[in-house]
Amino acid sequence: VQLVESGGGSVQAGGSLRLSCAASGNTYRHYMGWFRQAPGKEREGVAFIDCDGSASIADSVKGRFTISKDNAKDTLYLQMNSLKPEDTAMYYCAAPLTQNSCCGVTCNQPYKYYYWGQGTQVTVS
């Protein structure tokens, strides 16, 4: 599985961005997540989509961020609204090694993920 993120950029506070993560390799019913890492900080989980398509969102972005997946396009999305300066970070999409990993639980620890994209920068001023 290869993951390629896009959609990052610079926006003013209160603005919106939609990140995309195109997967090569079948990720149907595959647990996937979005993480972010700001300079000098640990990588943190932002949003996750379970094997059955259900979503979970970190408290820090709940109500502002939405995760979705288009299985036909094998693409994961992160819609980010009401952006704040503290959302500034490199954003990564990721997937565990196997299709059945993390199904039914919230996998928000980076070490549980095997496949990572190269990241896309989001800057909010």
Side-chain angles (χ1 to χ4, degrees):
V1 176
Q2 289 186 321
L3 305 173
V4 179
E5 302 96 335
S6 61
S10 297
V11 296
Q12 292 188 336
S16 299
L17 284 173
R18 188 176 80 154
L19 305 184
S20 299
C21 172
S24 63
N26 188 3
T27 60
Y28 179 66
R29 295 187 68 82
H30 210 298
Y31 198 101
M32 297 186 74
W34 284 100
F35 290 80
R36 66 184 181 185
Q37 188 167 19
K41 295 189 177 181
E42 293 185 354
R43 191 167 295 191
E44 66 167 336
V46 173
F48 309 93
I49 196 157
D50 207 328
C51 306
D52 63 359
S54 59
S56 58
I57 307 294
D59 288 342
S60 58
V61 300
K62 193 168 290 183
R64 301 188 296 120
F65 289 14
T66 304
I67 187 171
S68 62
K69 189 168 183 281
D70 185 333
N71 287 316
K73 296 182 178 180
D74 218 355
T75 300
L76 183 72
Y77 300 100
L78 184 68
Q79 178 66 43
M80 305 186 296
N81 299 327
S82 301
L83 283 162
K84 304 176 180 179
E86 51 263 44
D87 296 318
T88 295
M90 186 72 79
Y91 284 72
Y92 301 90
C93 69
L97 178 61
T98 63
Q99 184 183 42
N100 294 325
S101 299
C102 294
C103 291
V105 298
T106 299
C107 276
N108 56 9
Q109 305 95 329
Y111 76 86
K112 291 189 176 181
Y113 290 77
Y114 182 82
Y115 300 105
W116 291 87
Q118 82 289 350
T120 186
Q121 178 68 38
V122 171
T123 303
V124 185
S125 58

